Amino acid sequence: MSASVRLEAGDTAPAFTLNDQDDKPVSLADYAGQKVIVYFYPAASTPGCTKEACDFRDNINSLKSAGYQVLGVSKDKTDALRKFQKEQGLNFPLLSDPDLAVHNAYGAYGEKSMYGKTVTGTIRSTFVVDETEAIQLPLYNVKATGHVASLRKKLGLDASTPDA
């Protein structure tokens, strides 16, 4: 089944509360009045997801200085997220959505093409939510490699200088 929802710029971001890697609840509402990058990835500790997460980690200071918070969402259980965060030194919350309710609300789960086959799973997606909880930038089927540089460019941030 394909993703039934496709969020567009200007849509209200679906509200959510999910447990983070430390089993603490995190809500989108916790970030009211701030800009938030919510990104969905298929699985912790896999090569592409590790590359993408480390890319966000390496750019977190410049994203935060531009006013953006980062939240990673996957269907992984919190213990897998805790291990992933610790192994990779990730410096932003990883949220567990095992029943896929938030994935589905954002249209980040459904049919996708993988190695030439159609499979059902997490669609690697990123959503920039503005201070009013509206979707500023919906990005579906993003590539793990180079995604943060591409995102920075779309947001008008200088993509040439990742944090040291």
Side-chain angles (χ1 to χ4, degrees), residues 22-105:
D22 298 320
D23 285 311
K24 292 189 174 71
V26 174
S27 299
L28 184 59
D30 296 343
Y31 297 92
Q34 299 178 61
K35 296 179 278 195
V36 185
I37 296 167
V38 181
Y39 84 96
F40 292 83
Y41 61 97
S45 302
T46 57
C49 297
T50 298
K51 185 177 279 292
E52 185 179 28
C54 290
D55 209 2
F56 274 113
R57 176 199 67 203
D58 295 345
N59 283 278
I60 198 78
N61 291 336
S62 59
L63 289 168
K64 281 187 171 178
S65 67
Y68 294 94
Q69 302 296 325
V70 174
L71 300 174
V73 181
S74 75
K75 63 186 186 309
D76 294 303
K77 300 220 178 319
T78 54
D79 55 345
L81 298 178
R82 193 166 36 254
K83 181 175 182 243
F84 184 41
Q85 188 184 53
K86 187 173 183 207
E87 285 176 350
Q88 302 303 328
L90 303 178
N91 46 10
F92 53 88
L94 299 175
L95 308 181
S96 175
D97 183 28
D99 64 3
L100 302 170
V102 178
H103 282 69
N104 286 320

Side-chain angles (χ1 to χ4, degrees), residues 2-23:
S2 64
S4 53
V5 175
R6 275 301 248 217
L7 296 176
E8 296 186 17
D11 288 350
T12 299
F16 61 80
T17 301
L18 295 171
N19 282 346
D20 70 6
Q21 68 284 342
D22 298 320
D23 285 311

